[in-house]
Amino acid sequence: MQKYVYMFEEGNATMRELLGGKGANLAEMINLGLPVPDGFTVTTEACTKYYEDGEVVSPEVEDQVKAAMKKLEENTGKEFGNPDNSLLVSVRSGSRASMPGMMDTVLNLGLNDEVVDGLAKASNNRRFALDSYRRFIMMFGDVVMEIDKSNFDNIFDSKKEQKGIELDTDLTAEDLAEIVSDYKEIYKELTGSDFPTEPIEQLLLSIRAVFRSWNNPRAIYYRRMNNIPASWGTAVNIQEMVYGNIDDSCGTGVAFTRNPADGKNELYGEYLMNAQGEDVVAGVRTPSPISQLEEQNIDLYNQFKEIGDKLEKHYGDMQDLEFTIERGKLFILQTRNGKRTAQAALKIAVEMVEEGIVDKKQALLTIDPNQLNTLLHPQFDEEALEAATPIAKGLPASPGAATGEVVFTAQKATEEAETGKAVILVRDETSAEDIEGMHASAGILTVRGGMTSHAAVVARGMGTCCVAGCSDVSIDEEACTMEIAGVTYKEGEKISIDGSTGNVYAGEIPTVEAELSEYMQTVMEWVDEIRVLKVRTNADSAEDSTIALRLGAEGIGLTRTEHMFFAADRILAFRQMIVADNEEERRKALAEILPVQQSDFEAIFEVMKGKPVTIRLLDPPLHEFLPTAEADIQELADALDMDIDRLKAKINSLQEINPMLGHRGCRLAISYPEIAEMQTAAIIGAALAKSDADNKIVPEIMVPLVGDVKEFEFLHEVISNVADKLIAESGKDLEYHIGTMIEIPRAALTSEKIAKVADFFSYGTNDLTQMSYGLSRDDAGKILDVYIENGIYENDPTANLDLEGVGRLMKISAEEGRLGKPDISLGICGEHGGDPSAVEYCHELGFDYVSCSPYRVPIAKLAAAQAQINNPR
Amino acid sequence: MQKYVYMFEEGNATMRELLGGKGANLAEMINLGLPVPDGFTVTTEACTKYYEDGEVVSPEVEDQVKAAMKKLEENTGKEFGNPDNSLLVSVRSGSRASMPGMMDTVLNLGLNDEVVDGLAKASNNRRFALDSYRRFIMMFGDVVMEIDKSNFDNIFDSKKEQKGIELDTDLTAEDLAEIVSDYKEIYKELTGSDFPTEPIEQLLLSIRAVFRSWNNPRAIYYRRMNNIPASWGTAVNIQEMVYGNIDDSCGTGVAFTRNPADGKNELYGEYLMNAQGEDVVAGVRTPSPISQLEEQNIDLYNQFKEIGDKLEKHYGDMQDLEFTIERGKLFILQTRNGKRTAQAALKIAVEMVEEGIVDKKQALLTIDPNQLNTLLHPQFDEEALEAATPIAKGLPASPGAATGEVVFTAQKATEEAETGKAVILVRDETSAEDIEGMHASAGILTVRGGMTSHAAVVARGMGTCCVAGCSDVSIDEEACTMEIAGVTYKEGEKISIDGSTGNVYAGEIPTVEAELSEYMQTVMEWVDEIRVLKVRTNADSAEDSTIALRLGAEGIGLTRTEHMFFAADRILAFRQMIVADNEEERRKALAEILPVQQSDFEAIFEVMKGKPVTIRLLDPPLHEFLPTAEADIQELADALDMDIDRLKAKINSLQEINPMLGHRGCRLAISYPEIAEMQTAAIIGAALAKSDADNKIVPEIMVPLVGDVKEFEFLHEVISNVADKLIAESGKDLEYHIGTMIEIPRAALTSEKIAKVADFFSYGTNDLTQMSYGLSRDDAGKILDVYIENGIYENDPTANLDLEGVGRLMKISAEEGRLGKPDISLGICGEHGGDPSAVEYCHELGFDYVSCSPYRVPIAKLAAAQAQINNPR
């Protein structure tokens, strides 16, 4: 028979998946000989089974729980439900990953009218017994029976009011007895039955409630935010009660072994005497800082410090402890690796190595790569921020903070930015046309669109702060105003937005630049020593490249050439090219673009000083470059000296039903090889101009959207013809590579053939994901909401690489690509390139590099180092 | 060294891939001891090498050609270029698959001014020698040097005009000498060099030209139409000339061993005395039917008949022969399996079995499944036909009936057809350039040309109705009119043609379904005995189902429920459902639809009498059901009593950027489970109403667009809850199945999981292809044109299943699906279900069934039988 219940003595810290984090650590501490009340854990598998069985706790699990209770009675010498020698327990959830505040707890379980009398006698403290009882009824009613907590709070508060007292501790035993009586009454009124008096019934109902709470909306939301699979389930810990609420020789508290805000090596926490459970954080009485315990009870303090040090050494990480003092005796109720700020994480990691507690590899594993994000972007000045109140909240789409004047069009953003003003671009949603304006803006705020909307993706790529999907905002484009909560903001008024929280503020809040701390630098040195996966960046300009280099990029994995075409000095020529009627006209327009495009590449090559640079040929459908508003079309017609009806007909003829699956990528270059020829000439020309003995440039030309080897072969010939001719004419030596994006499922499935003729593959996981799922990122918003709500998707696959489907295509492609060309270079350049779990996967597949937006370079590097530590290659 | 050249004696019929069809058969006939002029074949590999080497005939190939010429000189006792004993040769292409009219031929090669004199002396016929010479110069100039043929025709025609003669044969030796002289002049003028006098140079240039012609636009188009890979290449056959143009004891002709139009067992063909090469089909002189040879020369006729019988037995199929009579001696220049109409194919297959020439399996392999199409399509309504009087009569060149608007150019045919019009293409005669327009036409009418003219042969191959040689018609191309018996018909006027009788009618004649012939029934009986793959149909109504049943469907593989919603009695309720603001309103509208939807299903179940019926839940995005024109929106707003601005806003909110990758398929049902509930209720309700002991109905409910097992699980629960409840309430027994389309790449890649919970998979290869390629069928038009033109795609993957990519996904899915559930039912319901090569592939993958449009059921069945014959399972 499957074992669903483990006594603490049977477990250890490695059994996290089965026992949950809390249960595994309680077991570990018991085995370390620490003062931990005894108990047992109902496994996560029992939770999974509960859902598989249709939300029923099976008789098997019930039987094992009962047997474990018997064992606990033996171990403690107490008896569940026996008034003369009562065993009370706590019931607490504990999932594999820490989910603070998400799950529910029941304390003092086992009490009923008889037991409470016994407890009063045994403790010689009726008040304590009744205090425990009222807490139990309230928690049981709230958590197990889902009675709105305010029902209990109202009774409790009116009793305090009636008695004219402020502190819970001032309530007498009699008061508490009345409260208990009222609690039982409201319980019966709202549930239709008496409060259950049978301890084992209380226990089983509580276990079921913990299982059920795994799927409460808060838990689902937390999992969604933190990419925790619903399938993991939660364990339940049943533990003998110890009491912080008997009298003033008792107390309860929480503490970190180091300061979680700044990382300083000091005990950091709070405690409250004569208190239980949530009293510490409830805010009714002000808890004391843990340092005060040193004055109050030096022995206890030292004992606690010693245990903290021991656990920190044992786990190799800063610990977050819960403790209870019962009549002067210390009990540890929980230990776990402590959450900390990014700054603290870096300092703690570096100092723990200096202190000899861990080695570099262990230290690196204590840092969450995603967390570094906050350290790499400008932030609001903290004092100023505290004084500010948000006027609206959207999605934290691209981190950082920005303050500036509101504008409502991309064009206005560009104009104002040119005068040196900081602007916040506010749009319903953005499109490719807005790119230049987005680039010119200090921050972007959109009304619609999710975390992977155009605005969010582009902003993250640019490192520009962005709040997306802020539906509190309503724009009146004609009036050039927006309204938030009834207040109108005009163009030019100042607002501030925080892309790390999604908050929007009225007025200006000063920002401070992020500095790379010495700890960050030390950590990055270790990272660079350890990792084998290279980290490049996606950068479309010399500016982006400079930022990325500063952040440690080892090359460029993706330069998108299309953004360049939107600049004012070339968009007209580019549009002329698009509306041209024949090859000759197209070539004429392209000839105008060639020198400016080449100068862009020269600037990038100059910054990158011989590091690898991959440049992708034009990718988006041509209609994205054409105006859509009537006035803009008229303006273009005038500029091109073209009949407006002819221009409209042309624009119309370029419309597509599914542009994502239409005339774009290499399909453009196959239709109009002259575009690829111009781009090749610009790339090779720039490389020839900037390559020298010190900085040998080996440009990598990347063909997008290949689905069949013949598409690649066709363009390989077009590209190499132009390149070879230019190189021959220059009389110089220049090596160059031609490779392809793997972003179409069929390309992944035919990689062996393609690899035979390609120098490199770069996985474009954005499109590969969309096509593998048959789901357009632009249209996925409302679908994803419903899916995640219903537990169908664990998370947004356009943000987190789907290893099962998309990852499998990458694996097939990488393995078979190497059959075609054993030394083919493999990289990833989709948004997922900066996603730590994708970085880990690319490491496992033996990729050469990942490429991500500049600000994610340190994150990807740390993830790459962690991947190498966990799975050396 | 690789062997690129084979003497005919070295080859045989099995070497088709290497020697091409023509070369392999010439070799086979030589080895059978038939009277075939000797020669050799340059292999298809030499052609492939030519393209690999950058369109250059390699020295290796040249050397082997020269060696073979030496051998041919030895064998014939003649000498290439020796005026006193000249060896002349023909150079003809011959690819693996028959490509009539696509490739080019040069006859009489080896002639120059000296050799022509020698030939005149040796034949004692200067006129013949010069006639051969002018033909040679013209063909060489046209085919090898790409001189526009009209340059030669003008010279030739003006000479005839000048001499006041009509027939080529009336030209004297002197006339021909002048023509030759003029030909050489225009040749020099247009090519800049003299006509080459060196025979070996003539030969090598001609071989190169044949290779080159493999990639001419007509050949590319033909390959595209017939799915012949560009990689196959063509062989070149060099054969000793025999002459049908010396005098009236000579001649040339073509004949089939059975009648290719109706299958009758009789020699069928045409010949022309004193003629060479294309004279028979050129239409200048009218050839004689082959039956006349019996009167003219009984011995020759009997010899020919005997050879025909021998070849038919040898190849086990009806043969198409080319022959030449040189001074009373018969030579066979080519044999191949003859093209035939579908009717003929069936009759021939059945009779060859009856005659003991082949067994059933061999006979089935002689029928092209695609060709059956013609038999399954409508004929004229007999009553209407009786009332109609033909306005003209031509040859019944390709059976079937067509009615449509007259057009006079292939281009116009293509254009009009694209707008959805049925057109009849009327031409003096057709040529290879017209192929695309012919394909677009409902019928073809030609003024000139016989039963074996270009138009006739091509139309039969396409299964397009054709009346040829209708000399009553006189076309005025400039005026875009034609005149028949004094009446003028303008472009766009409707006519009707009957390809089985040759009759042409003014105006439109209604058409009726075809009757299945006894031969068809016999063949289908054999097919049903042999095949193991079941064939179902895609049918959305009782009417479709009835047609499909008549054509042999064994069930329904796909009923699309969306078409039903467009019917007038429900579209309003459906639109009300779409624009509803909440679930309650949606349910109200759905309740109105339920009874009508259920009655649709009842009608289908009634027709299908217990055969399996798979019904797919609503698939398309909801906006497809809403109006787009302003007036229609206003009408809907009125009908729904809804504010028009609110309606517009709703319509607008449903717009998607990439609807194909948007909110559709199971995503709709997950967002609005009430839709799936209504549809399930309609299906189960209908099955309960119509199922009885005789016709036990087991409805199959199909969930579209699943990409993750959890989507399916979610809907499985929604569906089975409704179904189980209804069945329980009915008190009846009803089995039902729930399965899914596999049409998203990720579903194929995660099939093991999905199979565990699905009863069946049906491959939706339309969407699977579009997503695997990242190519929307709606937007692919211009991309495919460019791709096929450039040889990047061999054919349109949305029409022909791509085995390499899409097929691989199906294979992965089928194999892994069976791991999840060994007995899972597998089928295909995409457009490809009626594509014989896809049927073959599904047979190989061990599928249970294919499902296709009703008219393609017999085609799929035959393809399934052929697959079983070729690859028994």
Side-chain angles (χ1 to χ4, degrees), chain B residues 367-398:
Chain B
I367 310 170
D368 174 3
N370 274 320
Q371 223 189 351
L372 297 188
N373 226 346
T374 51
L375 298 186
L376 306 165
H377 280 280
Q379 299 291 319
F380 285 133
D381 174 73
E382 266 187 50
E383 247 176 66
L385 192 63
E386 269 172 34
T389 312
I391 52 173
K393 191 173 169 72
L395 300 170
S398 179

Side-chain angles (χ1 to χ4, degrees), chain B residues 68-81:
Chain B
M69 271 311 298
K70 282 268 162 280
K71 184 85 174 70
L72 187 59
E73 287 175 338
E74 278 169 36
N75 290 358
T76 57
K78 296 179 181 171
E79 208 177 319
F80 204 35

Side-chain angles (χ1 to χ4, degrees), chain B residues 218-232:
Chain B
R218 287 177 303 163
I220 290 172
Y221 186 77
Y222 186 90
R223 286 204 296 274
R224 173 180 168 180
M225 294 262 311
N226 292 276
N227 309 325
I228 297 171
S231 61
W232 281 5

Side-chain angles (χ1 to χ4, degrees), chain A residues 21 207 334 365 458 481 487 558 571 602 615 659 709-710 797 847 853:
Chain A
I207 290 172
Q334 171 162 334
L365 292 179
V458 171
T481 59
V487 181
L558 174 64
I571 182 66
E602 285 181 12
I615 297 172
V709 65
K710 288 200 184 163
F847 276 25
S853 61

Side-chain angles (χ1 to χ4, degrees), chain A residues 484-502:
Chain A
I484 301 176
V487 181
T488 300
Y489 300 83
K490 291 199 199 98
E491 187 171 270
E493 279 191 56
K494 285 200 171 153
I495 65 166
S496 302
I497 62 173
D498 187 334
S500 312
T501 61

